[in-house]
Amino acid sequence: AQTVTQSQPEMSVQEAETVTLSCTYDTSESNYYLFWYKQPPSRQMILVIRQEAYKQQNATENRFSVNFQKAAKSFSLKISDSQLGDTAMYFCAFRGDKVIFGPGTSLSVIP
Amino acid sequence: EAQVTQNPRYLITVTGKKLTVTCSQNMNHEYMSWYRQDPGLGLRQIYYSMNVEVTDKGDVPEGYKVSRKEKRNFPLILESPSPNQTSLYFCASSPIWDRVSEQYFGPGTRLTVT
C-alpha cells in the first residue's frame, strides 16, 4: 500500500530565510504525480506545486521548488525568501491509482 | 467564478441524527471526492465518484454514504453520526480522473458530533 510520510510536524523560519519541508513516500507504481498543497488558517486547500514522476527536472513555481529524488522516494519542498503569508499547514500528496496525503507540516514564518 | 461549494460550513449535531453535507461544483468536472481531515492524519479519502452514477469507496468509508445523481452535486450522508466522525470535511473535484489533474477543494465543513 502507498504511504506518505512528513516527518516534521512543525517548523518555523525567519522571514526572508529559506526553509525545506520533507516528504517521503512508498509505492510500487511507476507512473504517478506528487503534489504539495498549502492550507492557510482560512482552511482553503491551495495547490503549490506538482511533479511528474517520470520527469527528471525538479518543478519550480516562483519561490517554491522541489527536490525530487525518485530512487529515494523523496519529495521535499523548498520555500525561498519566506513571507508571512507562507504561514500555513503544508501537505504532501501522492496521486497514482489512489490519492494519499501525508499528515502535514505546520510552518510558521516569524517576523 | 469557478468553484466548489459546501454547505453547511459549520455543523454541531447529536449522535444518531441523520445529516447531509452538500457539495456542488460549477466546472463540469467528472471526478469528485470527499475527504476528512484529522490532526496528525492529514486528509483521508472517504468516497469518490468518477462520473454520474459511479461511486466507489476510499480509505475510510465506514459510516458514510454518497450519491451522484447529477454531475455537479456529490452529497455526503451520515445516516447515524457518531462522535468519532467529528472532523473537518472537504469536497474536491477535478476535470477527469487522472494522475496529473489538480483537485479543486471546497472551503471545508467543520462537523462536531456530541
Side-chain angles (χ1 to χ4, degrees), chain B residues 7-47:
Chain B
N7 283 292
R9 297 287 309 279
Y10 300 89
L11 179 59
I12 300 174
T13 189
V14 296
T15 300
K17 186 177 181 181
K18 180 180 180 180
L19 66 92
T20 299
V21 184
T22 65
C23 173
S24 183
Q25 50 91 7
N26 62 0
M27 296 170 280
N28 202 37
H29 286 173
E30 291 185 356
Y31 181 85
M32 297 185 74
S33 181
W34 276 103
Y35 296 89
R36 60 178 288 172
Q37 180 181 348
D38 301 289
L41 297 177
L43 280 76
R44 293 178 292 166
Q45 193 174 50
I46 303 170
Y47 269 95

Side-chain angles (χ1 to χ4, degrees), chain B residues 84-102:
Chain B
N84 65 12
Q85 292 178 299
T86 291
S87 188
L88 177 60
Y89 291 86
F90 285 98
C91 179
S93 73
S94 61
I96 58 174
W97 168 242
D98 64 7
R99 288 166 169 78
V100 66
S101 294
E102 172 187 357

